Amino acid sequence: MALLEVKNLGISFGGLRAVDEVNLNIEKGQLYGLIGPNGAGKTTLFNLLTGVYQPTNGTIMLDGVNIVGKNTYEINLAGIGRTFQNIRLFKNMTVLDNVKVALTNREKYSLFSGILRFPLYFKKEKIMNDIARDILAVFNLEQEEDTLASNLPYGKQRKLEIARALATNPKLLLLDEPAAGMNPNETAELMDTIRLIRDKFNITILLIEHDMKLVAGICEEIFVLNFGTELAKGTPEVVLNDPAVITAYLGA
Amino acid sequence: MSTNKQTKLSSNKKAISKTWIVIFKIVLIIAIYVIISSLVRFDILNRQYKALLVPIGVNIILAVSLNVVTGFLGELSLGHAGFMSIGAFTGALFTLNMDMPGTLEFIIAILLGGTIAAIFGFFIGVPALRLRGDYLAIVTLAFGEIIKAIIKFLNLPSGKDAAGNVKMVKGTMGLSGIETYADYTWVYVALVIVIVICANLIKSRHGRIITSIRDNYLAAESIGIHVSRYKILAFVIAAFFAGVAGVISGHNVPIIKPNDYDYNKSIDILVFVVLGGMGSIKGSIIAATVLTVLPEILRPIKDYRMLMYAILLIAMMLFNNSKFRAGLNENKSLAKLTGLLKFGR
Ligand SMILES: Nc1ncnc2c1ncn2[C@@H]1O[C@H](COP(=O)(O)OP(=O)(O)OP(=O)(O)O)[C@@H](O)[C@H]1O
Ligand SMILES: [Mg+2]
């Protein structure tokens, strides 16, 4: 059974069909790319998958369960984590706290344990610190744990967002343009990191990216969206040499 | 390996300095109490300033608790005085009609007033906080006024008369003959508890969730946070402490009136929070203290008092946002000093 099975998914904004009749099959453990010209509906598709928008039609099956109609937080609990195209960090919180707050459903203690500082508070906080630091280390952010998220340089902010999403222990991780605004060196390093987290955390990744080198370099399969509909899908070699894709996207 | 050792060492160091900070805070709390009580005992404070001690404490509780909603959760509430009013009247009705030993009666009154205020907070928060936008400001604004109107409309049992019958009084008249239990010791103990609870809350799992919602609710949802639940939690906690402050202020003077807790009072509390800094518990404490004492200091200039008050308020706001102030914060040694004094954040 596929991890994620999307059938006939669509949404309209007024008269605009931002996503139309989209079908997706995502298998466990693979790394997928989602590409398409500006305004093709890629981010909208992510928003549909995470319950930010409700689809006008279609189904989204995660591990055999239809998640259409669920809230964003419920979908995260069900196993989808994500990052945002326009970075959405908790700016006035430290790097460490950004990750720790994402552990909230993994390591719990009651309100009273927290305000009265019961032993459970110290125990769980220590566990959270350890897990969060381990995740930060994957992204080479461990030296910055006390920095406010808003004071991080841009590239590190993107990494922190991925770290935060990972902390929720997702089965499926959605990355919206993770390399946007990074220089070639940072991009190359990020590619390695993405591959590493797929293996280390044993998860499935779907990423939106405009950087063709990154997509072709690490994705096993690519979906191409154009005007909200599927234009092509397949391995990088097949898709990137598809004449329709070249005219719609690469040629532009 | 070596970096591992290093972080272990530095975390050990951190733990040691943390214990020192805790000890320092306890000493500070006791020292402040000793200072205040000697000021009172040895009649160093005149009557006017003595009378300010309880209001200062009450205002600190109000400011710190409102800061949980406005500073840490990022929601504007204009009805904090409404919760205070519920606490004050609940508490006073309880002590007027009960016949228990004073201390016990007052403790129960405080908890009861807080709880009733929290229940109201829950029923206001549930509809208002599920919506995005500034609905809470509008709803709480209306709430404060409605509570005032309802209390005015009610007939309140206000203890027994000489013949042993329950006296009923019109709400408009307020309640009188209240035992003035609340002295500076009571209010000091209460405010220390409230500050410790709020500071601990902010540094706990729940506090992190609350601040994350303020910073970015969509991202908070995306990491599995049930946003409206935690918004309501923060709001209910703040309402509880506003109720507590109400009970204490209601037992500071023998008479309370519904008009004592109106819209202007809510705005005063908001001013403490804004001036002290959103999300700064220490700032709320300082601002509430300074702004409660200030009108008393300005009393000699009579007619110009409110004018001067407004001018000073603006000056303090400007100072807080100035480059000079930012420079002070960047200065490392100063940061260390204030770090020691820091309760929240
Ligand atoms: N909330 C919304 N209301 C109205 N229109 C929207 C909304 N969200 C997206 N759209 C429209 O849907 C279309 C697809 O937008 P989307 O952001 O998904 O594109 P994208 O593929 O992510 O593009 P880019 O590469 O620029 O990020 C655009 O025409 C956009 O204007
Ligand atoms: Mg996009």
Side-chain angles (χ1 to χ4, degrees):
Chain A
M1 187 177 60
L3 175 65
L4 186 82
E5 221 180 316
V6 174
K7 282 213 181 91
N8 284 328
L9 197 66
I11 186 171
S12 306
F13 295 117
L16 176 80
R17 262 329 252 173
V19 169
D20 195 17
E21 298 277 306
V22 165
N23 295 292
L24 265 182
N25 255 318
I26 288 185
E27 300 293 337
K28 247 186 199 116
Q30 302 281 101
L31 227 162
Y32 294 84
L34 175 61
I35 65 172
N38 289 116
K42 305 180 295 292
T43 299
T44 305
L45 180 58
F46 272 20
N47 285 335
L48 287 169
L49 295 179
T50 52
V52 175
Y53 296 155
Q54 295 301 325
T56 34
N57 54 284
T59 56
I60 306 166
M61 309 290 279
L62 179 71
D63 259 344
V65 180
N66 191 358
I67 56 168
V68 170
K70 287 198 174 175
N71 292 322
T72 303
Y73 83 90
E74 290 170 322
I75 289 175
N76 175 262
L77 285 171
I80 301 183
R82 73 172 293 185
T83 65
F84 297 87
Q85 184 171 353
N86 47 339
I87 303 174
R88 286 175 173 271
L89 286 171
F90 306 126
K91 287 189 181 164
N92 300 304
M93 294 168 67
T94 64
V95 167
L96 188 68
D97 278 352
N98 265 270
V99 179
K100 276 172 82 178
V101 72
L103 295 171
T104 236
N105 291 315
R106 285 172 62 180
E107 298 296 334
K108 296 189 180 187
Y109 53 80
S110 72
L111 180 67
F112 289 99
S113 299
I115 57 182
L116 302 177
R117 297 280 160 101
F118 290 158
L120 188 67
Y121 164 85
F122 295 100
K123 193 180 144 202
K124 290 285 182 183
E125 284 290 312
K126 188 182 177 309
I127 294 173
M128 285 193 211
N129 283 337
D130 292 346
I131 300 176
R133 286 186 182 128
D134 280 350
I135 296 174
L136 286 175
V138 173
F139 295 89
N140 285 325
L141 286 169
E142 71 270 36
Q143 299 301 323
E144 268 109 344
E145 65 169 56
D146 291 328
T147 312
L148 284 189
S150 56
N151 292 342
L152 282 181
Y154 191 80
K156 288 186 174 174
Q157 292 197 9
R158 287 235 173 259
K159 287 185 186 171
L160 178 57
E161 232 198 353
I162 302 175
R164 183 182 68 188
L166 266 181
T168 65
N169 231 350
K171 296 173 195 161
L172 175 64
L173 182 61
L174 308 177
L175 304 176
D176 199 342
E177 307 201 14
M182 288 188 177
N183 65 36
N185 282 337
E186 287 175 318
T187 305
E189 193 196 307
L190 184 72
M191 281 166 58
D192 291 337
T193 313
I194 290 175
R195 239 188 255 115
L196 178 85
I197 56 178
R198 190 261 308 258
D199 300 334
K200 187 176 155 112
F201 294 87
N202 198 11
I203 56 174
T204 311
I205 296 174
L206 172 63
L207 63 88
I208 297 174
E209 196 44 75
H210 282 291
D211 188 325
M212 277 308 135
K213 245 178 76 191
L214 191 149
V215 178
I218 64 173
C219 295
E220 280 112 18
E221 198 172 329
I222 294 178
F223 299 99
V224 189
L225 271 186
N226 197 19
F227 295 115
T229 58
E230 176 191 311
L231 188 68
K233 73 169 105 175
T235 58
E237 300 82 62
V238 173
V239 166
L240 300 184
N241 294 319
D242 187 323
V245 175
I246 293 170
T247 39
Y249 187 59
L250 304 170
Chain B
M1 249 350 248
S2 72
T3 55
N4 219 341
K5 242 184 207 165
Q6 245 173 7
T7 51
K8 239 184 206 162
L9 268 177
S10 75
S11 75
N12 258 348
K13 239 186 186 171
K14 256 189 200 168
I16 292 167
S17 74
K18 261 184 196 161
T19 3
W20 276 113
I21 290 174
V22 171
I23 292 170
F24 176 80
K25 282 177 183 170
I26 293 171
V27 170
L28 187 73
I29 289 167
I30 296 169
I32 292 175
Y33 181 74
V34 170
I35 292 170
I36 294 172
S37 63
S38 355
L39 288 176
V40 173
R41 294 250 168 96
F42 304 120
D43 277 324
I44 299 165
L45 288 181
N46 64 25
R47 237 192 39 195
Q48 276 142 315
Y49 284 96
K50 266 187 209 166
L52 279 181
L53 289 174
V54 173
I56 289 171
V58 166
N59 284 341
I60 290 174
I61 296 174
L62 290 166
V64 170
S65 60
L66 182 64
N67 209 341
V68 171
V69 171
T70 300
F72 291 101
L73 179 65
E75 291 276 344
L76 190 56
S77 170
L78 298 175
H80 220 49
F83 296 114
M84 196 189 171
S85 180
I86 291 172
F89 277 87
T90 307
L93 283 174
F94 184 80
T95 56
L96 278 172
N97 292 293
M98 287 291 149
D99 204 10
M100 296 182 190
T103 307
L104 180 69
E105 188 174 85
F106 193 38
I107 289 176
I108 296 176
I110 288 173
L111 296 176
L112 188 68
T115 306
I116 303 287
I119 291 170
F120 273 85
F122 179 79
F123 284 108
I124 289 155
V126 167
L129 289 165
R130 286 177 158 222
L131 306 167
R132 274 171 208 146
D134 289 328
Y135 293 97
L136 190 71
I138 299 161
V139 172
T140 48
L141 176 64
F143 160 74
E145 294 306 297
I146 290 169
I147 284 298
K148 199 173 76 184
I150 290 177
I151 294 174
K152 283 185 175 176
F153 171 78
L154 292 174
N155 274 327
L156 305 169
S158 143
K160 286 179 180 149
D161 59 19
N165 300 317
V166 175
K167 277 189 294 185
M168 296 302 284
V169 293
K170 284 231 159 65
T172 327
M173 309 298 296
L175 293 170
S176 54
I178 304 167
E179 294 277 354
T180 50
Y181 290 126
D183 61 1
Y184 69 91
T185 305
W186 274 104
V187 81
Y188 192 73
V189 171
L191 83 85
V192 168
I193 292 173
V194 172
I195 291 168
V196 168
I197 287 180
C198 289
N200 283 353
L201 170 75
I202 295 311
K203 282 193 206 149
S204 75
R205 169 178 166 261
H206 299 79
R208 274 194 300 270
I209 292 174
I210 290 166
T211 33
S212 78
I213 293 170
R214 171 197 67 194
D215 278 6
N216 204 306
Y217 78 87
L218 196 56
E221 283 183 331
S222 85
I223 55 168
I225 289 169
H226 190 340
V227 166
S228 50
R229 174 189 295 170
Y230 287 95
K231 279 186 175 180
I232 292 164
L233 177 75
F235 191 64
V236 167
I237 291 172
F240 180 89
F241 290 133
V244 167
V247 180
I248 295 171
S249 84
H251 287 81
N252 182 38
V253 283
I255 304 169
I256 55 171
K257 294 218 165 86
N259 283 348
D260 299 343
Y261 310 97
D262 63 353
Y263 174 70
N264 290 320
K265 181 67 195 175
S266 290
I267 296 298
D268 284 347
I269 305 166
L270 189 63
V271 170
F272 302 151
V273 173
V274 173
L275 181 70
M278 298 277 199
S280 164
I281 291 181
K282 187 186 52 170
S284 288
I285 297 170
I286 295 171
T289 309
V290 171
L291 293 185
T292 313
V293 177
L294 194 57
E296 204 53 44
I297 295 174
L298 296 177
R299 194 178 286 278
I301 61 171
K302 293 192 178 103
D303 291 351
Y304 299 103
R305 189 169 139 203
M306 283 332 281
L307 179 69
M308 199 60 208
Y309 182 84
I311 291 172
L312 286 175
L313 200 59
I314 293 168
M316 284 187 273
M317 297 261 182
L318 290 176
F319 170 75
N320 257 357
N321 284 313
S322 66
K323 279 196 182 133
F324 176 68
R325 171 68 203 267
L328 281 184
N329 273 351
E330 265 165 38
N331 185 322
K332 283 248 172 75
S333 58
L334 191 88
K336 258 187 204 155
L337 189 73
T338 53
L340 266 182
L341 296 170
K342 231 177 229 176
F343 284 97
R345 221 162 180 189

